Amino acid sequence: MVEAAAPRAVLGIETSCDETAAAVVVGGRQVLSSVVSSQVDLHARFGGVVPELAGRAHVELLSPVVAEALVEAGMDVRPPPRRGSTVRLPPVGEDPSRNLAAVAATVGPGLIGSLLVGVSTAKSLALVWDVPFVAVNHLEAHLYAASLEDPDLRFPTVVLLVSGGHTMLVVMEGHGRYRLLGQTLDDAAGEAFDKVARFLGLGYPGGPAIDRVAMEGDPEAIDFPRALMEGGWDFSFSGLKTAVITYVRAHPEVSTADVAASFQQAVVDVLVEKARRAAKQERAEALCLAGGVAANSLLRERFLEACQADGLRPFVPSRAMCTDNAAMVAAAGWWRLQLEGPSPLDTGADPAMGLCLAG
Ligand code: KG4
Ligand code: ZN
């Protein structure tokens, strides 16, 4: 008798901020579906994410988003027969890899109301389907985005993780094993993009707006400061943000495109320079980019150039995998499941969760 292969598909759920997302990924690599419903239009008129509105929108959007991800992936998620039941259900999906191994959800960091929607939904589905629940750290999920699209990701790898809430240089030493080299002492890179865009009247979300407007500007027009924080691996972007505001107030006639381009260049110079230095110190063979700011056109271009110049293997996820999505959550969930097994069902959401570091 041929034994049925163990299920390898994970349903991932992401609701940490303003994207409602669900995805099905097999074996931590093969993306069968990835559905993202953005709440950008809902929050745009407020100039930023309104936590209460985000939580309520997740409640409305999550069920249809999960259903779409399951249907698109061709998953068969009929509940298993109850013990002692005499009712015989038809056999589940023909491809065993398409039967669920677990339901994974982001448990932190993020907005508490938003996180709770995803976490409680994931636990309920895991209970109903009688499969494990896996708690996923959102930062760890971002680190896995690159490996989803490039199976060659080898350890150790230096990862530059740049998002709306975090800016970190991390050495990924193995699955679930990280060493934090440095992080921002004040604003995250994405936060700086969002705040500067808001000041320039470019709207929300600020990163993509600056990316767009900067294409029309001169990146050498204004020499904004680059805080390289010599001798360490930490970052600081609040001084740069203040420098932009001070400059524009003193030169009201300045071209917005030139300010956006010069600001973007200053951020990218610092990020790329520190990532290169870190790769050199760690004797890494590869350099990996992750997080929403990794969708930035100039950063992607300069990152690839730097890797080529230094003989490093670049891992740059597609733009869709850089910004918040559930495929990265399902991938991180798969590896967590291999490392630690299921998470207890009383695992709570943790809005201030840090990256679990290498032990
Ligand atoms: O990873 P992410 O989707 O959510 C968090 O975990 O924070 O990152 C969102 C951040 C926002 O600050 C947004 O402005 C920034 O990523 N971002 C960009 C671009 N696309 C998104 N920043 C610069 N250029 C972009 N093209
Ligand atoms: Zn994120």
Side-chain angles (χ1 to χ4, degrees), residues 11-15 21-23 62 66 103-106 117-119 121-122 125 326 329-330:
L11 169 67
I13 292 180
E14 160 61 37
T15 61
L62 189 54
V66 167
V103 181
T106 299
V117 178
V119 173
T121 302
L125 292 174
V329 174

Side-chain angles (χ1 to χ4, degrees), residues 265-278:
Q265 173 122 312
V267 175
V268 169
D269 276 352
V270 171
L271 294 175
V272 172
E273 179 59 25
K274 295 204 81 141
R276 280 176 100 156
R277 290 185 192 178

Side-chain angles (χ1 to χ4, degrees), residues 138 142 163 324 328:
H138 183 79
H142 272 303
S163 70
D324 286 351
M328 66 184 195

Side-chain angles (χ1 to χ4, degrees), residues 2 5 7 61 86 88 100 115 131 137 167 231 237 259 299 303 307 309:
V2 182
L61 293 166
T86 52
R88 296 197 66 189
L100 279 186
L115 289 167
V131 296
N137 180 314
T167 297
F237 292 106
V259 176
L299 177 58
F303 191 85
C307 286

Side-chain angles (χ1 to χ4, degrees), residues 195-270:
K195 286 177 175 169
V196 166
R198 193 173 176 163
F199 172 74
L200 295 176
L202 297 176
Y204 162 87
I210 290 197
D211 196 341
R212 242 180 351 260
V213 172
M215 295 196 185
E216 314 293 324
D218 174 7
E220 313 291 335
I222 309 151
D223 187 20
F224 286 127
R226 273 90 169 139
L228 273 165
M229 318 281 287
E230 297 292 349
W233 298 110
D234 288 334
F235 298 88
S236 167
F237 292 106
S238 79
L240 171 59
K241 174 193 67 192
T242 309
V244 171
I245 294 171
T246 310
Y247 186 91
V248 174
R249 287 201 174 130
H251 306 84
E253 75 299 341
V254 69
S255 135
T256 300
D258 284 352
V259 176
S262 302
F263 160 76
Q264 179 176 264
Q265 173 122 312
V267 175
V268 169
D269 276 352
V270 171

Side-chain angles (χ1 to χ4, degrees), residues 3-26:
E3 289 223 350
R8 291 164 53 78
V10 174
L11 169 67
I13 292 180
E14 160 61 37
T15 61
S16 65
C17 191
D18 61 342
E19 319 282 2
T20 313
V24 179
V25 176
V26 176

